[in-house]
Amino acid sequence: VSWSPDGKYLASGAGGFVNEERVGELFIWDAKSGEKLKTLEGHSSYVSSVCWSPDGKYLASGSWDETLIIWAANSGEKLKTLKGHSSGVESVSWSPDGKYLASGSYDDTVIIWDANSGEILNTLKRHFSWVYSVSWSPDGKYLASGSRSLDGEYFGGDLIIWDAKSGEELKTLKGLSSCV
């Protein structure tokens, strides 16, 4: 679930089966009245993450179908489908300037995307297990990603701080709970 930047709307992801076919959907809700305003269809499996662009014009969603979709928030139109993960996408986050997206996946990677072109700019491979969460620093210079760890040293969670531009791993925090 994600609030729109103006606080008027919520977007949520869902998934299930319709006529024995797996589907993923996004819903846009009026936050004050609770009315469902739009249903966005386009994923072929569960939608596990959704976020608004900083300007509120777009939504990005990540799904177990291994894709991200960028949507026009006002119309609900599907603008781009981003492919690059080899397993389900668990988390998606816009950079503060709205130029980039980051996604974390069950393929143990973080991908940084150009939000305008859909091009993969960097694939960050340092986690030993599923990446559950990604988040940009307020200035957009850094990216943090959280994962459970199965690196043989211990069973817990890792939090990695990256230089968003170069993809360099700056710091790894270990010993977190098993789900970050």
Side-chain angles (χ1 to χ4, degrees):
V1 66
S2 178
W3 287 93
S4 64
D6 63 10
K8 294 181 181 179
Y9 306 102
L10 287 166
S12 64
F17 291 89
V18 175
N19 299 324
E20 298 184 29
E21 183 177 324
R22 186 176 290 203
V23 297
E25 299 174 318
L26 276 78
F27 304 110
I28 299 177
W29 307 85
D30 182 294
K32 187 173 184 179
S33 71
E35 177 186 0
K36 183 171 28 172
L37 303 174
K38 287 184 181 62
T39 300
L40 286 61
E41 299 175 344
H43 283 291
S44 61
S45 191
Y46 298 97
V47 175
S48 52
S49 184
V50 60
C51 66
W52 293 83
S53 63
D55 62 9
K57 293 180 181 179
Y58 306 99
L59 284 165
S61 57
S63 171
W64 288 6
D65 68 7
E66 304 175 6
T67 69
L68 283 77
I69 295 179
I70 298 175
W71 310 84
N74 285 339
S75 68
E77 178 186 0
K78 183 169 136 178
L79 301 175
K80 285 183 189 64
T81 300
L82 310 181
K83 297 179 181 180
H85 283 290
S86 61
S87 192
V89 176
E90 184 64 18
S91 183
V92 61
S93 179
W94 288 91
S95 64
D97 63 8
K99 294 180 180 180
Y100 308 101
L101 283 165
S103 57
S105 171
Y106 288 118
D107 66 8
D108 309 345
T109 68
V110 174
I111 294 180
I112 299 174
W113 310 82
D114 181 298
N116 187 46
S117 70
E119 176 186 357
I120 294 174
L121 300 176
N122 210 336
T123 301
L124 310 178
K125 300 176 184 179
R126 174 60 185 88
H127 286 288
F128 293 99
S129 190
W130 309 325
V131 179
Y132 288 113
S133 58
V134 291
S135 180
W136 294 86
S137 63
D139 62 8
K141 292 181 180 179
Y142 307 101
L143 184 67
S145 57
S147 173
R148 75 181 238 195
S149 178
L150 299 171
D151 67 3
E153 294 176 27
Y154 75 102
F155 183 81
D158 287 346
L159 174 65
I160 298 178
I161 301 171
W162 309 87
D163 179 293
K165 189 172 185 176
S166 71
E168 178 186 355
E169 178 185 345
L170 301 175
K171 188 176 291 188
T172 299
L173 308 174
K174 292 187 174 209
L176 306 171
S177 66
S178 62
C179 291
V180 178

